[in-house]
């Protein structure tokens, strides 16, 4: 476990922001499989190979993750599914299709998360910069492939009464590690009593995207993305 990620996961859990309650987490997972993850990996691999056996060998099945005929692509898909199962043990994502994942770039991830969480900077202007620095120390953001899971709006944690949500798999192939960053917002009225009755001292105020232009790692205006 990483102390920085644990701190920000706790910070984003049950925190009131405007008229909503946040449910967020930032967790790092090793892609080296063991135990239940290893068993699930074998089951999913066998299932995918069986499905592809019914298609012509020359047929390329392209997804945002890559060609499923490639072992590395199937391994990535399994890693993303295993990460979802580990983060949300009350749900089973083993039947999720590769089309449920889309590739993102770093600039998009920064803008999306910072825009949704901008009100948090009212009480601590550097909180989001500190959060991204902690993530960068664990995963090396500039060396990551980034993916998002697209909720099916049926039975998954992102569709259960959420006002908005985002999620990013920050995958560092060299480190064989995934940092999973997700946050959901639900109505404060619906969540009343779920996290206790602690009151925030004052309501948060919104800020513009320009407030993040001075972030050191990494800058949203970086021309590399």
């Amino acid at each position: 476990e990483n102390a920085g990620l644990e701190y920000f996961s706790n910070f984003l859990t049950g925190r009131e922001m405007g008229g909503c309650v946040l449910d967020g987490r930032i967790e790092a997972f090793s892609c080296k499989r063991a135990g239940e993850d290893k068993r699930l990996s074998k089951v999913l691999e066998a299932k995918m190979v069986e499905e592809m056996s019914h298609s012509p060998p020359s047929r390329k099945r392209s997804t945002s993750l890559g060609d499923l005929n490639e072992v590395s692509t199937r391994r990535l898909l399994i890693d993303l599914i295993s990460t979802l199962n580990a983060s949300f043990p009350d749900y089973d994502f083993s039947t999720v299709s590769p089309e449920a994942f889309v590739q993102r770039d770093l600039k998009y991830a920064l803008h999306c998360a910072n825009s949704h969480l901008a009100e948090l900077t009212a009480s601590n202007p550097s909180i989001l910069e500190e959060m991204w620095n902690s993530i960068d120390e664990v995963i090396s953001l500039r060396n990551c492939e980034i993916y998002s899971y697209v909720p099916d709006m049926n039975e998954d944690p992102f569709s259960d009464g959420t006002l908005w949500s985002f999620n990013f798999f920050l995958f560092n192939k060299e480190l064989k590690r995934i940092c999973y960053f997700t946050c959901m917002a639900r109505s404060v009225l619906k969540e009343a009593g779920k996290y206790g009755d602690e009151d925030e001292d004052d309501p948060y105020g919104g800020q513009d995207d320009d407030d993040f232009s001075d972030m050191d790692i990494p800058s949203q205006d970086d021309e590399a993305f």
Side-chain angles (χ1 to χ4, degrees):
E1 294 186 359
N2 178 276
L5 298 190
E6 184 176 3
Y7 169 81
F8 283 105
S9 288
N10 292 334
F11 179 83
L12 292 171
T13 300
R15 180 168 295 274
E16 289 191 24
M17 188 183 74
C20 63
V21 176
L22 301 181
D23 180 7
R25 65 197 69 189
I26 311 173
E27 303 168 302
F29 298 91
S30 171
C31 295
K32 299 176 182 178
R33 304 185 187 97
E36 180 61 23
D37 286 341
K38 191 172 184 178
R39 186 198 68 79
L40 176 63
S41 173
K42 291 181 177 179
V43 171
L44 292 177
E45 171 71 12
K47 178 182 177 182
M48 285 186 276
V49 170
E50 170 65 20
E51 290 176 350
M52 289 187 297
S53 69
H54 300 296
S55 302
S58 59
R59 180 184 177 187
K60 184 176 181 179
R61 187 178 177 188
S62 297
T63 70
S64 63
L65 306 181
D67 182 4
L68 283 181
N69 289 314
E70 300 292 333
V71 174
S72 59
T73 301
R74 298 197 299 272
R75 184 179 297 120
L76 173 59
L77 174 59
I78 292 169
D79 286 339
L80 298 183
I81 290 174
S82 296
T83 298
L84 283 173
N85 281 340
S87 293
F88 303 102
D90 293 335
Y91 297 84
D92 181 8
F93 294 88
S94 59
T95 60
V96 169
S97 72
E99 288 75 22
F101 298 96
V102 295
Q103 189 163 18
R104 308 294 193 186
D105 60 33
L106 180 55
K107 186 175 182 179
Y108 176 91
L110 287 168
H111 177 78
C112 179
N114 288 347
S115 296
H116 280 102
L117 300 176
E119 291 185 36
L120 296 177
T121 63
S123 58
N124 184 346
S126 66
I127 188 67
L128 297 184
E129 181 179 353
E130 294 169 6
M131 178 189 71
W132 283 112
N133 285 339
S134 292
I135 294 173
D136 188 60
E137 289 176 2
V138 170
I139 204 68
S140 184
L141 285 165
R142 297 185 185 280
N143 297 311
C144 285
E145 297 174 13
I146 303 177
Y147 301 93
S148 290
Y149 166 70
V150 180
D152 63 7
M153 305 308 293
N154 186 16
E155 294 183 0
D156 64 39
F158 306 98
S159 309
D160 184 17
T162 57
L163 300 175
W164 54 257
S165 70
F166 64 79
N167 70 96
F168 298 107
F169 301 83
L170 309 167
F171 172 50
N172 188 309
K173 186 180 299 185
E174 183 177 345
L175 296 177
K176 295 182 173 60
R177 184 182 302 161
I178 291 175
C179 182
Y180 185 55
F181 178 19
T182 183
C183 191
M184 293 162 273
R186 296 183 174 88
S187 168
V188 69
L189 297 178
K190 182 176 181 180
E191 295 293 290
K194 182 175 181 179
Y195 296 103
D197 297 320
E198 295 183 2
D199 294 327
E200 297 293 337
D201 292 333
D202 54 22
Y204 296 111
Q207 293 197 356
D208 297 329
D209 293 338
D210 291 340
D211 293 326
F212 306 105
S213 60
D214 295 329
M215 288 177 63
D216 293 331
I217 298 186
S219 172
Q220 287 193 47
D221 298 325
D222 197 325
E223 294 299 330
F225 302 98

